[in-house]
Amino acid sequence: MGFVDKIKEAFSRPPAKEIAKKRLQLILKYDRAGLPPNAVEAVKDAILKALKDFPFIDASGVTINIANEENSKGKIEIEVPVRNN
Amino acid sequence: MADKVICITSGKGGVGKSTVTGNVATALAAKGYKVVAIDADIGLRNLDLVLGLENRIVYDIVHVIEGVCPVEKALVKDKKTKNLYLLPAAQTKDKSAVKPEDLVNIVEKLREKFDFIFIDSPAGIEEGFKTAVLPADTIIVVANPEMASIRDADRVTGLCEAMGKPEPKLIVNRLDPKKVARGDMMDADDVVQILGLELIGIVPEDKNMVSYINRGEPAVLFEDSIAGKAFRNIAERLLGKKVPFLDLSYNESFLDKLKKLFGGE
């Protein structure tokens, strides 16, 4: 790697502490909810599969999130939008 | 005082629990409070080393539980700091030698006689940790600004909550201002943001710490120790005083930036 590339890389890479923060925030979200790290993707896949027979549902708009609430177990929140036409 | 019994814990090992316990206990004793530090890390005793009291141990906490001697007899009086006592852990027994109710009983006996009782918890989240936390009015989680330590601190916080204990307070230990300035290490604000706990101390990395522990002389006894100053401030905060956090900002020089660019230290 040339000197110029090295300088470019040094300026374009996010600082390690920012990466650590992002990773930790995600890890703790799963840890606190007591969920395995692939839980959201797995559940989303299963739901999309189950919903594909319903034409009135907009599968591309399905969102899934872990919600951590004070003093309670975590929960998975799923939003299934209905196609509007 | 509501915050009389204070448990220092962390989840992860090696983050500086015993160093924090020994130093904050010493700082409070030096101010005239009567303080006892209980080493609850049965089988891996280390608090005696931080305080330089390893040669003076005759009885330990397991002797007290077995009825070999009363708790007063097992307390080791510190030679440098008046009003400071250590209740040593047993070195040759295992964690099952101290049951949760045993420690609760010992703490209840000491409660009348001391202004502060510190409990140095073992690492981990098993029985020994739960035993150490159970008698505490206040729990302090020690975390280094580092991934594994922060994750474990969060786990311990959850377990304390599940035990019905008050939310732990946070000490960020071994913060390296130079690494923070470079963007390589999270600062105390980042750790607070992630864990959502009340911060009661930021202790910077201190190059002399190994030497203090080697000599068995807590850093708080040295006016010029930066970590010692941070520990003294924690003691003040435990007394309810509002003390500003140390300014640990580090101004990276052009040379530092250049060195980093070339992958050097």
Side-chain angles (χ1 to χ4, degrees), chain A residues 3 6-7 10-11 15-25 27-28 31-32 70-72, chain B residues 146-148 150-151 154 161 167 180 182-187 190 193-196 261-263:
Chain A
F3 180 64
K6 246 186 171 168
I7 289 181
F11 282 102
K17 71 168 227 167
E18 293 306 326
I19 297 172
K21 250 178 103 171
K22 283 208 182 95
R23 288 178 66 202
L24 272 168
Q25 273 157 347
I27 290 164
L28 294 191
D31 282 356
R32 284 170 185 166
E70 285 283 326
N71 307 317
S72 72
Chain B
E146 172 253 313
M147 299 273 299
I150 293 170
R151 185 190 209 174
D154 191 68
E161 190 195 0
E167 189 174 84
V180 170
R182 280 193 206 157
D184 287 340
M185 182 182 264
M186 287 173 276
D187 63 23
D190 296 325
Q193 212 184 352
I194 292 164
L195 290 175
L261 209 55
F262 288 101

Side-chain angles (χ1 to χ4, degrees), chain B residues 13-66:
Chain B
V15 302
K17 279 182 300 297
S18 297
T19 308
V20 169
T21 308
N23 275 281
V24 179
T26 302
L28 285 164
K31 285 185 72 73
Y33 294 93
K34 205 173 170 199
V35 183
V36 58
I38 302 174
D39 190 348
D41 197 352
I42 313 304
L44 292 168
R45 113 174 141 203
N46 279 326
L47 186 54
D48 52 337
L49 300 180
V50 176
L51 296 170
L53 294 175
E54 69 278 6
N55 289 331
R56 310 186 57 215
I57 296 171
V58 182
Y59 299 105
D60 61 49
I61 191 168
V62 175
H63 290 129
V64 176
I65 290 161
E66 288 171 345

Side-chain angles (χ1 to χ4, degrees), chain A residues 51 54-60 62 80-83:
Chain A
L51 291 177
F54 302 97
F56 50 86
I57 282 164
D58 178 11
S60 68
V62 171
V80 182
V82 171
R83 217 182 277 280

Side-chain angles (χ1 to χ4, degrees), chain A residues 46-66:
Chain A
I47 284 171
L48 288 179
K49 220 181 249 172
L51 291 177
K52 73 176 185 330
D53 295 335
F54 302 97
F56 50 86
I57 282 164
D58 178 11
S60 68
V62 171
T63 59
I64 173 162
N65 277 306
I66 299 171

Side-chain angles (χ1 to χ4, degrees), chain B residues 215-230:
Chain B
R215 293 173 194 277
E217 296 172 341
V220 282
L221 298 176
F222 298 87
E223 272 305 314
D224 58 344
S225 162
I226 178 84
K229 189 156 201 309

Side-chain angles (χ1 to χ4, degrees), chain B residues 160-232:
Chain B
C160 290
E161 190 195 0
M163 287 172 73
K165 285 285 166 186
E167 189 174 84
K169 294 179 170 125
L170 173 69
I171 292 178
V172 176
N173 193 30
R174 304 194 66 180
L175 183 126
D176 185 336
K178 202 167 173 176
K179 287 184 181 152
V180 170
R182 280 193 206 157
D184 287 340
M185 182 182 264
M186 287 173 276
D187 63 23
D189 284 345
D190 296 325
V191 183
V192 168
Q193 212 184 352
I194 292 164
L195 290 175
L197 299 177
E198 183 198 337
L199 186 68
I200 63 150
I202 308 169
V203 185
E205 185 78 63
D206 187 330
K207 61 179 177 0
N208 294 321
M209 195 52 84
V210 178
S211 143
Y212 295 134
I213 296 170
N214 284 346
R215 293 173 194 277
E217 296 172 341
V220 282
L221 298 176
F222 298 87
E223 272 305 314
D224 58 344
S225 162
I226 178 84
K229 189 156 201 309
F231 288 129
R232 287 195 294 276

